[in-house]
Amino acid sequence: MAELRFTFPWRKLEFGFVICLLVLFPITKSEQVSGVCSVAYGESEGCSSSSKILIKGGTVVNAHHQEVADVYVEDGIIVSVQPNINVGDDVKVIDATGKYVMPGGIDPHTHLATEFIVSETVDDFFSGQAGALAGGTTMNINFVLPVDGSLTAGFEEFAEKAKTSCMDYGFHMAITKWDETVEKEMEIMVKEKGINSFKFFLAYKEALMINDELLVRGLKKCKSLGALPMVHAENGDAIAEAQLEMIDLGITGPEGHALSRPAVLEGEATARAIRLAAFVNTPIYVVHVMSIDAMEEIAKARKAGQRVIGEPIAAGLVLNESGIFDPSFTVAAMNLMSPPIRKAGHDKALQGALATGVLQLVGTDHCSFNSTQKALGIDDFRMVPNGVNGIEERMHLVWNTMVESGLITPPDYVRITSTECAKIFNIYPRKGAILAGSDADIIILNPKASFEISAATHHTKSDTNVFEGQRGKGKVEVTIAGGKVVWEGGELKVVPGSGRYIELPPFSYLFDGIDKLDAKYKSSLGAPVQRFKAST
């Protein structure tokens, strides 16, 4: 993500104008053009005419187990998972024979409706989530930045824009300064607003970056609240110097962005954040792990028993830096994000780390701008809005890259795209599982079907796609969100305002036993030492 300012309100949106446009100018799949989200709109209460759905004969996959079974859904909840379920005539039946029935994806890292200088991300909550549903993701967790330092104002602005959502979502909150008000607001966010994670930027000097003192204070406050601290790990001071060097050398194009943010600076910041988290004895989550350097720091800490979560993103797993060195400015700028997409070899290493559990889940850092917006930096890479797409493409790319290649199994796929995220952010098994009582957020994936990615056919708004031309096996053919069929037969049916804000409770499993570790540490200090005054 780039030097961004997020804005989000919490008032009631009015859809009269939107509905009027839809009546006068209905949009169909075949009419999608650059920058337009092509969707067919369903009923106001949902997109399937039946609140009862039976998925028959598929291989039901959870993170711990897979079996051939039927799945019965009623009123948005999974009621039963077992073979040979019999139902009445008022139930929509979907044949999943030969296909996988899995929990909908949860994207832990998105930036929808995000303002960057004078441009806002091209995808708002509605268009971004519409694309997500077409790609098999049924929930996202979006980042919120304070407004003029106020967490409450930031939350309210984001919540207002999220009123257009068409699937479930949660929020992370960023911390960009420190005072008593921020400290008190953190408590409000956790105890009253359903936020259980706070992000700290170690990059973007003079914008979002915080120093080590603030980070330590923030880590301590997060620990006391049972909230998970997250870090964007790059050394902002060194990057600022490197950017000036690139400009002095006459390197003003997008390649200057990558050259000024080498992997060693990502590794250094990752190591520093991990060590400070160890000092405080709190879990820590490293967002968008893009390099071997950062991954190895995470591996070392986890091997030592530290509670560190590493999140690679779809772009880092399947792309390399060749795009940002492309002679076409449009292509190069499309590939510009932070931390940068790395040289070939880093992608394979990240895949291996994900397959072996060194890294735990996959996000996207979806922060999409169109080619016109990216051209704001045509004379200076520092002015190119940072970010790539991925919210629609993640599930397909991860299946093809990780499962189709034989690196992981289908249960592993469920774990890294859905279940682990639900557990980390403390909403499992409501989300991230095909179990009786879980929310009916379900996808049906055909492992034999193929996909091809293109800006001409995607459902998000940008006129470019960083994964243009990528092909593979494993296609999501049906998406069910909140018990309603929203994607089937290549048709997307979504309703503005049908999404729900999901509160994320504090003290996930990552905090289990932290108090005992603290007690053990204190008992090992051998201090204070009782000393006697020297006699005169």
Side-chain angles (χ1 to χ4, degrees):
M1 196 199 81
E3 299 158 29
L4 304 174
R5 178 180 178 274
F6 295 68
T7 53
F8 264 101
W10 228 177
R11 299 186 302 273
K12 177 90 172 167
L13 278 182
E14 304 203 13
F15 294 112
F17 179 67
V18 174
I19 299 301
C20 179
L21 286 177
L22 292 174
V23 171
L24 293 173
F25 306 105
I27 303 170
T28 66
K29 176 76 174 169
S30 61
E31 294 171 335
Q32 183 182 355
V33 295
S34 174
V36 176
C37 183
S38 167
V39 291
Y41 294 84
E43 302 166 357
S44 60
E45 76 276 9
C47 303
S48 172
S49 59
S50 175
S51 64
K52 301 176 182 179
I53 303 170
L54 178 65
I55 305 169
K56 288 196 67 66
T59 300
V60 176
V61 185
N62 281 298
H64 60 284
H65 177 66
Q66 69 181 58
E67 62 178 332
V68 176
D70 298 345
V71 180
Y72 178 58
V73 170
E74 191 169 325
D75 297 328
I77 301 295
I78 296 172
V79 175
S80 180
V81 182
Q82 59 182 325
N84 303 317
I85 298 175
N86 295 314
V87 295
D89 295 335
D90 61 339
V91 177
K92 175 179 175 65
V93 179
I94 302 174
D95 184 5
T97 303
K99 302 172 185 179
Y100 291 107
V101 180
M102 299 182 285
I106 307 174
D107 189 338
H109 189 154
T110 63
H111 301 286
L112 303 177
T114 299
E115 187 179 337
F116 173 81
I117 307 177
V118 295
S119 284
E120 186 171 282
T121 54
V122 70
D123 283 316
D124 57 18
F125 271 77
F126 179 63
S127 68
Q129 291 183 345
L133 291 168
T137 288
T138 55
M139 179 177 172
N140 70 301
I141 309 179
N142 209 71
F143 282 91
V144 176
L145 277 185
V147 173
D148 297 327
S150 170
L151 309 191
T152 300
F155 179 88
E156 289 174 350
E157 282 195 322
F158 267 85
E160 177 65 28
K161 286 188 177 180
K163 285 284 190 174
T164 62
S165 67
C166 55
M167 72 182 192
D168 291 353
Y169 63 95
F171 286 152
H172 308 291
M173 176 66 72
I175 303 295
T176 56
K177 73 170 192 175
W178 193 262
D179 56 29
E180 289 185 2
T181 300
V182 169
E183 195 170 5
K184 290 177 181 177
E185 283 190 307
M186 287 179 71
E187 294 189 20
I188 294 171
M189 292 300 111
V190 173
K191 296 176 181 179
E192 300 178 19
K193 302 300 184 182
I195 288 178
N196 69 0
S197 53
F198 294 92
K199 184 177 181 180
F200 301 87
F201 291 87
L202 306 187
Y204 309 124
K205 190 173 182 178
E206 298 180 356
L208 303 175
M209 178 178 159
I210 55 93
N211 60 29
D212 288 352
E213 179 186 1
L214 192 158
L215 177 59
V216 170
R217 291 183 181 183
L219 292 173
K220 288 182 175 180
K221 188 62 179 181
C222 284
K223 178 182 176 181
S224 72
L225 295 171
L228 183 61
M230 312 173 81
V231 287
H232 174 134
E234 292 182 286
N235 188 307
D237 288 320
I239 288 168
E241 289 299 311
Q243 287 177 331
L244 293 175
E245 182 181 355
M246 292 301 114
I247 297 298
D248 287 345
L249 292 172
I251 304 172
T252 60
E255 67 277 9
H257 177 83
L259 293 170
S260 66
R261 309 177 92 97
V264 66
L265 298 185
E266 184 185 355
E268 183 279 330
T270 301
R272 178 159 40 98
I274 287 173
R275 283 162 174 74
L276 291 177
F279 170 71
V280 174
N281 186 30
T282 187
I284 192 165
Y285 183 118
V286 183
V287 302
H288 48 41
V289 177
M290 299 294 287
S291 67
I292 295 172
D293 304 55
M295 178 269 290
E296 287 181 341
E297 295 295 339
I298 293 168
K300 182 164 50 176
R302 287 180 62 85
K303 186 176 181 179
Q306 193 172 342
R307 302 177 189 195
V308 182
I309 299 297
E311 170 212 273
I313 63 170
L317 291 171
V318 304
L319 301 176
N320 62 62
E321 73 169 12
S322 61
I324 206 167
F325 285 87
D326 194 277
S328 163
F329 174 85
T330 299
V331 172
M334 175 181 68
N335 280 268
L336 191 151
M337 64 167 294
S338 299
I341 300 166
R342 302 297 183 186
K343 295 179 184 290
H346 288 270
D347 52 347
K348 298 297 184 183
L350 294 176
Q351 292 171 24
L354 190 60
T356 55
V358 171
L359 303 175
Q360 288 69 51
L361 74 168
V362 182
T364 62
D365 194 9
H366 183 94
C367 187
S368 188
F369 298 91
N370 62 31
S371 58
T372 302
Q373 292 171 305
K374 290 277 191 175
L376 291 170
I378 195 164
D379 296 318
D380 186 342
F381 66 83
R382 295 171 297 180
M383 298 301 294
V384 177
N386 287 203
V388 300
N389 58 286
I391 197 170
E392 181 170 355
E393 297 81 13
R394 176 184 69 127
M395 298 292 281
H396 289 127
L397 290 169
V398 173
W399 180 274
N400 184 67
T401 302
M402 301 297 295
V403 184
E404 183 65 23
S405 67
L407 284 173
I408 64 173
T409 65
D412 290 329
Y413 173 81
V414 168
R415 174 177 54 81
I416 65 177
T417 60
S418 185
T419 306
E420 190 61 28
C421 184
K423 289 182 175 180
I424 289 168
F425 296 104
N426 216 12
I427 49 174
Y428 180 86
R430 177 182 179 182
K431 302 289 187 182
I434 305 292
L435 299 171
S438 298
D439 284 357
D441 295 337
I442 303 168
I443 61 172
I444 300 174
L445 183 144
N446 185 346
K448 296 180 180 179
S450 300
F451 68 85
E452 181 175 355
I453 296 172
S454 173
T457 55
H458 68 203
H459 298 81
T460 47
K461 283 185 176 179
S462 180
D463 58 348
T464 63
N465 192 308
V466 75
F467 305 106
E468 186 73 36
Q470 292 265 345
R471 301 177 181 179
K473 283 286 189 72
K475 183 172 177 57
V476 175
E477 295 185 336
V478 178
T479 303
I480 298 169
K484 302 294 182 181
V485 177
V486 294
W487 171 254
E488 185 178 26
E491 183 180 11
L492 182 61
K493 298 182 179 181
V494 286
V495 180
S498 58
R500 300 173 298 177
Y501 177 63
I502 304 298
E503 294 192 1
L504 309 175
F507 293 104
S508 74
Y509 79 92
L510 292 169
F511 289 87
D512 291 349
I514 287 286
D515 54 341
K516 294 180 180 179
L517 291 173
D518 282 341
K520 183 178 179 181
Y521 165 73
K522 291 176 182 177
S523 67
S524 71
L525 294 177
V529 175
Q530 299 299 315
R531 292 184 173 85
F532 300 97
K533 292 183 179 180
S535 58
T536 56

